[in-house]
Amino acid sequence: MGTAEAKTLPRSRSSDKSLPNGLLGMLIFILTEIMVFAALISAYLVARSSAEEWPPIDQPRLPVVATAFNTIILLSSGVFTYMANRAFFIPKQEAKACQLFLIAILLGSFFVLFQGYEWIGLIHYGLTMTSSPYGSFFYLIIGGHALHAIVAISIMVLAYRKMKQAVLTPSEFWTGQAFWYLVVGVWPILYYFVYLS
Amino acid sequence: MADTATKTEEAHSDHHDDHHHDQSFWSKYVFSTDHKVIGMQYMLTGVAMALIGGFMSYVFRMQLAFPDESVPFFGRVSSLEYNALVTNHGTIMIFWVAMPILIAAFGNFLIPLMCGCDDMVFPRINRLSYQVFLLSAVVLVISFFVPGGGFGGAWTAYPPLSANAEYSLTPMGSTLWILAVALEFVAFLMGGINFITTAMNARAKGMRMFDIPLVVWMIVIASILFMISVGPLIAGAIMLLLDQLVGTAFFNPFRGGDPILWQHLFWFFGHPEVYVVLLPALGIVGEIIPTFARKKFFGYKLALYTVFATGILSFVVWAHHQFIAGVDPRMVHLFTVTTLLISIPIAELCFLYIATLYGGSISFKTPMLWALAFVVEFLIGGVTGIHLGASGADIYMHDTYFVVAHFHYTFFPIAIIGFYAGITFWFPKWTGCMLNEFWGKVHFWLTIIPFNCIFIPLFILGMGGQHRRIYNHQHFSELATPEYQNLRIFATVSLIVMLLAQVIFFVNIILSLRKGKKAGKNPWKANTLEWTTESPPGHGNFKELPEVYRGPYEYSVPGRKEDYWPQDQKE
Ligand code: HEM
Ligand SMILES: [Cu+2]
């Protein structure tokens, strides 16, 4: 089971400029994820365009303003992640990188919890997965995003622990961040289509 | 999930010790991370599934030829069983035979060897990929035996039939079916990430982009196509699963859902998917033809650009499967045009192969026979696709046996001929023994001739108006004529001959392993890197990692003593 790293020859030899393996693999995975969300959104648009009234009259309206606030929280989490990344690559800034990264994680977790809180209200007002296509799509798309957020936050927590012990490699950090940027990056698009338009 | 696995991969690999000297059977063949072993596992699982799928086709073809009579080794076929057999035959052959053999088995075996590295970039993700794949196969097989039987809503799983147990009558079978397909996709996502990353990041020193052998390119491009196209189907599969289990309203018209939506999601994946399996087969043939024609591949770069273009185009043809599903007529015109356009690059590729043959010194070894048969038979499939792509004609031919014959003239060359071409070509490398040529050729002819005898009658039946989802044609007086029934019987008998002929192949393998000639490093005098190492390659593939000086197809170069010029030879 000896992998190349165990031997003297380096595995990646094509070009020094090529992306680290982990990051390249993650980017390919993200490509698939983007297509999943693109499909969900286009399916949603198809369903909406063929519906007589959207949202259906008997279904509750979505909390647009509260979610706008939550959107800002999520976006700022992305910014803090980026700042943590900047600090991580400057020597002697490790402590600062840790702090910034922790803030990013906390903001991300707040986003998920606040979403959950909003859902409780919506379910209470009668918007469920089976109440209408509207409800089905809402929980599918927003819930799918929330699941991604939870996975990404777990990854970030693992990365944070490694960072504190100073064993986090740059390639690992990039790989984990890339997934979080996906979660942060698709959210405004989902918000626009599902809540606003 | 892939992400955390990536991390462990990297974190662990640096304190890895070499303990491959005294490995037990389990760690060597079952839990190995070696790409050759994983490739072999994929291959054997794929072949086992092919036997199951082949048996299914035997049963339902018997029902069509001899309606309502008891089928030997099965018994009487009920209409529900018939549907389940046809559905799972298609599903198995595409997702559990073509994909694992062409992409996963050959990809695993060939990419590290041809790129000149010692293993995949993420060996443990690779192993996990196979394990998930095996699990998916097990789930699928279990789904045949649950109460209600296996899913019978066709491999395309159109709702509302697939979304409601009241219609499909297979409450557990359909759920397990989707679950199995979803697991299979997870496995191939992990595999595809590995293939692309390895080919991009771990090539031998000196191997530039255009020194990569065609088959590696093809598998990489196919993986990229798969990665892009599978997203929508994953989304659709989740929605279908929720419709079945939770009662959501995505596709169910009675709840306000839209069944056509599923067709779009499915075919947005489904059409690129046919190129996902086509490209590796084209790549395999592309390695064999120059080797046995002793000629440089004609238009290597052109072939690559063509395939890129085809890949892009393949995302905008999907609605040709829905011409009569009630889509907007203006859209139908658009998709007719793109469909006819996509036949141009496919034809061009065939011409490139023929041009490679032109003026070569051709030797008709078994792999070469398979490769040539691929071009010939696939051409028939491609040409009939043009008829179907013209919406005016397709209105009459949609969902008839003409379509069935069309896609078998594409899939059979891809999955079966491509597999045999590849396995006869690389068998010496994989095992160290040569296959017997005589029995290889007997097997070839006894496969190719019956294959044509099965499907040419189906073209005729399809033009005669035989719908593809009828389980007993005696119920329809205009289809129950003796002429038509004779054609059905002829096709079924040909199928049985073809299935039996496969025994020759397995016997040939066993005998050749026992007492076949030793292959040596490079029995075909080929150029690519896998032929520069031992047969079979040891752990780590190369004694010393190779360096590359030229492209893969330098055959019969003027002024050289030898008519081949391996990629790793300086002079
Ligand atoms: C790459 C090789 C190809 C493969 C593996 C392939 C496979 C298939 C399959 C599986 C179907 C039937 C789906 C179903 O309804 O169950 C199909 C239908 C069709 N194919 Fe192909 N095909 C290939 C090439 C082509 C080409 C080159 C064209 C056109 C130029 C084409 C045009 C069509 C059309 C229009 C249909 C729809 C027919 C109908 O349902 O009425 N195909 N093909
Ligand atoms: Cu198609």
Side-chain angles (χ1 to χ4, degrees):
Chain A
M1 274 187 256
T3 52
E5 279 88 346
K7 296 173 187 159
T8 44
L9 283 154
R11 163 157 280 148
S12 173
R13 281 157 288 148
S14 314
S15 139
D16 300 331
K17 273 185 257 131
S18 64
L19 295 170
N21 294 338
L23 182 58
L24 179 59
M26 179 49 95
L27 288 178
I28 300 165
F29 180 65
I30 285 177
L31 187 69
T32 306
E33 291 279 22
I34 289 175
M35 289 307 291
V36 173
F37 282 108
L40 291 177
I41 283 295
S42 43
Y44 173 81
L45 293 179
V46 169
R48 187 173 76 183
S49 66
S50 57
E52 272 157 30
E53 45 184 19
W54 195 272
I57 270 181
D58 57 344
Q59 293 281 283
R61 297 296 173 268
L62 301 176
V64 174
V65 178
T67 312
F69 165 72
N70 214 6
T71 305
I72 294 170
I73 298 282
L74 185 65
L75 290 180
S76 50
S77 165
V79 173
F80 273 101
T81 313
Y82 181 68
M83 281 158 55
N85 176 59
R86 294 266 305 255
F88 182 76
F89 287 101
I90 301 171
K92 302 230 166 62
Q93 295 259 14
E94 291 86 358
K96 191 174 157 212
C98 269
Q99 268 174 10
L100 289 166
F101 199 40
L102 184 61
I103 297 175
I105 294 175
L106 291 176
L107 286 172
S109 314
F110 177 84
F111 170 84
V112 174
L113 293 176
F114 193 61
Q115 285 280 86
Y117 173 73
E118 282 182 355
W119 278 28
I120 296 175
L122 285 170
I123 293 172
H124 186 72
Y125 288 120
L127 186 73
T128 66
M129 281 215 93
T130 49
S131 63
S132 64
Y134 184 63
S136 300
F137 270 109
F138 175 80
Y139 288 105
L140 176 71
I141 296 177
I142 307 301
H145 180 265
L147 278 181
H148 280 81
I150 292 169
V151 172
I153 290 170
S154 319
I155 293 170
M156 296 213 296
V157 169
L158 291 177
Y160 175 74
R161 282 176 41 192
K162 278 192 154 187
M163 196 192 245
K164 283 211 88 154
Q165 297 157 9
V167 291
L168 185 70
T169 66
S171 151
E172 282 171 4
F173 192 30
W174 271 117
T175 311
Q177 277 180 71
F179 197 56
W180 184 239
Y181 292 140
L182 167 76
V183 172
V184 175
V186 297
W187 174 255
I189 303 170
L190 302 184
Y191 176 70
Y192 173 76
F193 282 113
V194 177
Y195 287 80
L196 288 184
S197 75
Chain B
M1 193 178 77
D3 175 63
T4 39
T6 316
K7 289 184 167 191
T8 35
E9 211 79 71
E10 287 185 1
H12 284 235
S13 42
D14 35 13
H15 47 81
H16 224 24
D17 43 349
D18 261 293
H19 46 227
H20 60 263
H21 300 294
D22 38 61
Q23 285 174 324
S24 70
F25 172 82
W26 288 94
S27 64
K28 198 164 168 202
Y29 295 110
V30 182
F31 296 113
S32 169
T33 53
D34 187 297
H35 70 101
K36 300 181 289 294
V37 177
I38 295 175
M40 185 59 87
Q41 292 171 332
Y42 265 116
M43 179 74 79
L44 294 178
T45 318
V47 170
M49 292 304 276
L51 295 178
I52 300 179
F55 178 74
M56 290 174 159
S57 67
Y58 152 77
V59 177
F60 66 71
R61 278 304 320 176
M62 286 298 278
Q63 160 66 24
L64 291 175
F66 311 105
D68 294 341
E69 282 174 37
S70 175
V71 177
F73 308 111
F74 188 84
R76 272 203 54 175
V77 186
S78 73
S79 56
L80 270 183
E81 280 168 344
Y82 176 86
N83 287 343
L85 286 167
V86 176
T87 301
N88 285 293
H89 164 78
T91 316
I92 286 179
M93 289 303 189
I94 293 170
F95 294 126
W96 277 274
V97 177
M99 295 278 288
I101 288 181
L102 291 172
I103 300 202
F106 283 116
N108 262 307
F109 184 69
L110 294 177
I111 289 178
L113 278 170
M114 289 185 133
C115 291
C117 62
D118 57 352
D119 205 333
M120 286 288 174
V121 164
F122 308 118
R124 243 160 303 184
I125 292 188
N126 206 18
R127 180 179 57 188
L128 186 64
S129 152
Y130 173 72
Q131 290 166 341
V132 174
F133 172 75
L134 185 64
L135 181 66
S136 75
V138 171
V139 172
L140 188 77
V141 172
I142 289 177
S143 83
F144 310 152
F145 301 106
V146 292
F151 176 57
W155 79 285
T156 51
Y158 283 3
L161 187 57
S162 57
N164 294 53
E166 306 110 74
Y167 307 145
S168 68
L169 303 176
T170 52
M172 292 169 82
S174 27
T175 303
L176 286 178
W177 184 87
I178 299 188
L179 196 69
V181 173
L183 282 172
E184 203 256 6
F185 289 159
V186 172
F188 281 104
L189 277 179
M190 293 190 278
I193 289 173
N194 242 321
F195 299 155
I196 302 169
T197 316
T198 306
M200 289 300 120
N201 273 2
R203 294 196 304 279
K205 194 165 162 218
M207 186 180 265
R208 293 160 305 170
M209 281 290 181
F210 290 122
D211 297 332
I212 303 178
L214 265 181
V215 65
V216 175
W217 263 124
M218 296 287 193
I219 293 176
V220 167
I221 298 172
S223 301
I224 297 173
L225 287 183
F226 179 77
M227 295 300 204
I228 299 175
S229 62
V230 79
L233 190 59
I234 293 178
I238 295 171
M239 289 153 76
L240 190 59
L241 204 61
L242 289 172
D243 268 6
Q244 283 182 0
L245 296 179
V246 185
T248 47
F250 295 115
F251 304 127
N252 191 340
F254 299 111
R255 295 167 169 274
D258 180 2
I260 302 285
L261 184 60
W262 163 265
Q263 298 186 12
H264 285 299
L265 293 173
F266 183 88
W267 286 116
F268 184 85
F269 162 81
H271 194 91
E273 165 70 14
V274 307
Y275 293 94
V276 171
V277 289
L278 167 65
L279 296 187
L282 276 177
I284 289 169
V285 173
E287 297 300 321
I288 295 172
I289 288 184
T291 309
F292 291 101
R294 312 312 288 168
K295 254 191 81 194
K296 193 171 172 140
F297 190 91
F298 186 88
Y300 166 89
K301 281 193 186 171
L302 186 62
L304 284 184
Y305 295 141
T306 308
V307 167
F308 277 123
T310 317
I312 294 169
L313 210 53
S314 75
F315 284 102
V316 289
V317 299
W318 80 88
H320 64 216
H321 297 275
Q322 300 161 259
F323 282 157
I324 65 157
V327 295
D328 189 323
R330 283 163 298 184
M331 206 165 94
V332 166
H333 287 311
L334 220 75
F335 278 92
T336 294
V337 172
T338 53
T339 304
L340 297 185
L341 274 181
I342 205 168
S343 51
I344 297 174
I346 297 289
E348 184 191 321
L349 284 170
C350 289
F351 286 136
L352 291 183
Y353 288 135
I354 296 168
T356 306
L357 292 169
Y358 180 77
S361 43
I362 300 172
S363 56
F364 292 99
K365 293 274 171 32
T366 318
M368 184 62 159
L369 287 181
W370 287 111
L372 296 176
F374 174 89
V375 178
V376 174
E377 306 287 0
F378 182 77
L379 218 59
I380 303 179
V383 167
T384 50
I386 302 177
H387 299 274
L388 296 172
S391 55
D394 186 59
I395 290 171
Y396 297 97
M397 293 192 288
H398 174 72
D399 258 351
T400 67
Y401 267 73
F402 192 90
V403 175
V404 175
H406 154 68
F407 68 72
H408 280 89
Y409 262 102
T410 55
F411 271 130
F412 187 89
I414 291 170
I416 309 299
I417 301 185
F419 160 68
Y420 283 130
I423 198 82
T424 48
F425 186 59
W426 280 291
F427 185 84
K429 179 54 59 184
W430 216 318
T431 63
C433 306
M434 299 301 283
L435 273 176
N436 182 301
E437 273 290 315
F438 174 76
W439 289 112
K441 284 183 176 143
V442 172
H443 169 238
F444 169 80
W445 289 111
L446 283 180
T447 305
I448 288 296
I449 296 173
F451 159 67
N452 287 285
C453 295
I454 301 169
F455 290 104
I456 288 175
L458 299 197
F459 277 125
I460 302 169
L461 286 167
M463 300 285 271
Q466 178 176 314
H467 190 273
R468 66 189 274 204
R469 309 219 191 267
I470 294 174
Y471 124 94
N472 184 345
H473 295 100
Q474 305 308 319
H475 299 161
F476 299 85
S477 54
E478 72 280 14
L479 294 177
T481 62
E483 296 84 50
Y484 282 172
Q485 196 58 28
N486 285 341
L487 285 178
R488 286 178 205 125
I489 294 174
F490 182 67
T492 300
V493 172
S494 307
L495 171 76
I496 294 171
V497 173
M498 188 179 87
L499 288 178
L500 288 178
Q502 306 316 305
V503 175
I504 303 173
F505 173 74
F506 291 104
V507 172
N508 190 5
I509 287 226
I510 292 167
L511 290 184
S512 301
L513 281 178
R514 284 257 196 89
K515 41 186 153 180
K517 272 206 316 259
K518 284 279 155 286
K521 280 188 178 175
N522 192 355
W524 311 125
K525 299 200 187 334
N527 285 345
T528 40
L529 291 177
E530 80 273 28
W531 302 107
T532 63
T533 182
E534 302 301 321
S535 310
H539 195 90
N541 293 346
F542 300 94
K543 289 225 168 61
E544 226 171 283
L545 289 176
E547 212 169 307
V548 166
Y549 298 98
R550 67 188 59 74
Y553 303 112
E554 298 299 326
Y555 291 105
S556 309
V557 179
R560 272 183 63 81
K561 210 161 70 249
E562 302 273 12
D563 69 348
Y564 66 115
W565 203 355
Q567 285 189 283
D568 70 332
Q569 269 179 27
K570 212 164 189 163
E571 281 313 318

